Amino acid sequence: MSFPPPQRGVGDLVLADEFQMYGPTTETPDHWWERFSSPALNALVEEALSNNFTLQQAVARIDQAVAIARQNRAVLFPALDYSGTISAQANHQDAGFGTLPGPSTSQRLEALGTLLAPGAGGGTPGDGLQDAKSRLTALQTLTTKDPDNDQTIHTESYGLGLAASYEVDLWGRLRSGTQASLIEVFSTTQDLYAAMQTVAGQVVLTWLDLLQVRQTIDLTRDQLVTNETSLKLIKLRVITKQATALDVLQQIQVIARTEAILPPLEAQRDVLMHELAILLGKAPRTPLDLGGDAYPEPAPLPDYGFPADLLARRPDVRSAGLRLQAADWRVSVAKADRLPALRLTGGFSFDGDQFDMIFDNWLATLAGGLTGPIFDAGRRRAEVDRTYAVVNERLNAYRLVVLTSVTEVENALVQIDRHQVFIDALRKQLKAANDSHDEAFIRYRNGLNDYLPVQTALVNSQNLERSTIAADHDLLVFRVQLHLALGGDWMAALSPS
């Protein structure tokens, strides 16, 4: 008996049959950033994928998940432990002789006197024998020591042993936990792939931002030169009475407005360079090769397939689906934990009073135990309910990730399509502004109007020039967002793990 998780499909997901189609598509290369045809960008992305600290953290999380999975898998096998003991014991105790004292001092003095007394000379042989006995007894009295009142006994013992334990996985609890941990390893790996996609996107987007800022700085400096040249011409016209001081002041205002644009742009450029260096795992202010300042030509739209394809292409979708599977297996663990568990234990040991005799005495044991819950105040039932709630949470998280991925593709397609129309209209507006400035300047030069229409047309034209650079940048950003929304499977080949 076991509790296998349900087989889930895409039936609960609300997906459209296809995306909105905008223009022709082409097959997307494995490394989508190569579509921008910039060797410098390719080198930046590859360096970031190798050295980015966020990716290194993701790799460390994979290592943690792998270690946890190994720990959980270990419970499927018997555990064998060894032990060794050596002990030495000293037992100090009273000997019990306190009531039997040795010869007293007076007895010893009397015995000494007997030994020093003259012998029984001239007597009978019996008297001599008696005298010898008396002297021997006296000598024995003098040489007798007082008995000890305590004693210490020393003992030693040695032992070696082996102990084994094993749980019979009757209901699949251990296997389910192992399976959940293994799936979580795969899920964490998909998190790494999602982080790789994100880092690649951040590098490309930062690179595009730098191109925009650098182009805008160059354009603004050219505009500043143009405005200063116009000021010189106006001053010459003042000398010839063809212009007024008001015209000079108005042009000075235009120059000051243009100069004010540069410092924020230069600060933004430096900040972006710092951010790009951090993405590459380098210190700020590290020199980086960005290639040229020109925008890459937009390639045809990548082949985005159908909404259901995102389930396999997006690493964040795959990760959410795997986490849902792991939660299903955790439910199986919680269910099986409510049933009895069978555990086997065994042991083998040797012992002896002397080390060379340790293997002469041995003991072997084998036991089996069946344990199961009778009353736990609903703790295990609550754990089952909790794991079901986790499943519901991750199921809805999975649905949200899927719909979000579809929405991101749709949004990118809409923005690309509408933004291209916006760029076309902006370029028409820029052309009209340039024509208006030329006409106003001709009329001003011929004395048909004052300088204010020229100034207005000039400022409008220069603003539109900067807006055009920003619009071209935004179109490329939407292309990057489309690639990020489509996902891919290129990460496995470049994975740091």
Side-chain angles (χ1 to χ4, degrees), residues 394-407:
R394 294 188 178 179
L395 175 60
N396 287 285
Y398 176 64
R399 291 168 175 168
L400 179 60
V401 170
V402 171
L403 292 181
T404 300
S405 65
V406 175
T407 302

Side-chain angles (χ1 to χ4, degrees), residues 314 403-413 481-482 484-485:
R314 292 258 309 215
L403 292 181
T404 300
S405 65
V406 175
T407 302
E408 288 176 353
V409 176
E410 292 282 15
N411 290 346
L413 291 173
Q481 292 175 349
L482 177 59
L484 294 177

Side-chain angles (χ1 to χ4, degrees), residues 183-413:
I183 293 175
E184 286 169 354
V185 171
F186 298 149
S187 176
T188 308
T189 303
Q190 295 302 320
D191 291 340
L192 169 63
Y193 295 165
M196 293 176 66
Q197 178 82 318
T198 300
V199 168
Q202 289 175 337
V203 171
V204 176
L205 291 175
T206 305
W207 178 74
L208 291 175
D209 291 344
L210 279 166
L211 295 188
Q212 177 195 358
V213 171
R214 292 169 68 171
Q215 286 188 30
T216 305
I217 289 174
D218 292 341
L219 174 63
T220 303
R221 287 172 176 169
D222 292 341
Q223 291 173 346
L224 184 59
V225 172
T226 300
N227 295 338
E228 291 173 344
T229 301
S230 297
L231 178 60
K232 293 178 181 179
L233 295 176
I234 293 173
K235 288 181 177 180
L236 291 176
R237 290 176 62 85
V238 170
I239 295 175
T240 60
K241 308 299 183 180
Q242 295 177 317
T244 65
L246 179 60
D247 298 338
V248 175
L249 294 176
Q250 289 174 340
Q251 186 60 23
I252 291 176
Q253 181 183 3
V254 171
I255 293 174
R257 183 186 297 114
T258 306
E259 289 176 339
I261 295 174
L262 285 173
L265 288 174
E266 292 170 345
Q268 184 181 5
R269 176 199 58 198
D270 294 342
V271 169
L272 289 172
M273 288 294 291
H274 297 166
E275 293 177 355
L276 184 58
I278 294 299
L279 287 172
L280 271 58
K282 298 179 178 292
R285 302 182 64 182
T286 300
L288 301 174
D289 179 18
L290 303 180
D293 290 342
Y295 285 140
E297 289 293 330
L301 293 178
D303 183 14
Y304 36 82
F306 301 96
D309 296 338
L310 297 180
L311 304 182
R313 288 198 308 223
R314 292 258 309 215
D316 56 339
V317 174
R318 297 195 296 265
S319 177
L322 289 169
R323 280 191 164 82
L324 175 58
Q325 292 181 30
D328 284 331
W329 282 104
R330 295 296 181 191
V331 172
S332 302
V333 174
K335 288 181 176 180
D337 192 45
R338 302 184 67 193
L339 299 176
L342 176 60
R343 294 179 176 86
L344 304 178
T345 58
F348 199 84
S349 61
F350 302 91
D351 63 81
D353 295 335
Q354 297 181 8
F355 185 76
D356 55 356
M357 299 179 62
I358 190 173
F359 295 106
D360 293 341
N361 305 312
W362 57 269
L363 175 66
T365 60
L366 179 64
L370 186 66
T371 60
I374 296 178
F375 176 75
D376 62 358
R379 181 178 62 84
R380 289 178 174 84
R381 176 69 257 183
E383 177 63 15
V384 174
D385 294 339
R386 188 194 69 82
T387 53
Y388 269 122
V390 172
V391 168
N392 290 331
E393 176 192 0
R394 294 188 178 179
L395 175 60
N396 287 285
Y398 176 64
R399 291 168 175 168
L400 179 60
V401 170
V402 171
L403 292 181
T404 300
S405 65
V406 175
T407 302
E408 288 176 353
V409 176
E410 292 282 15
N411 290 346
L413 291 173

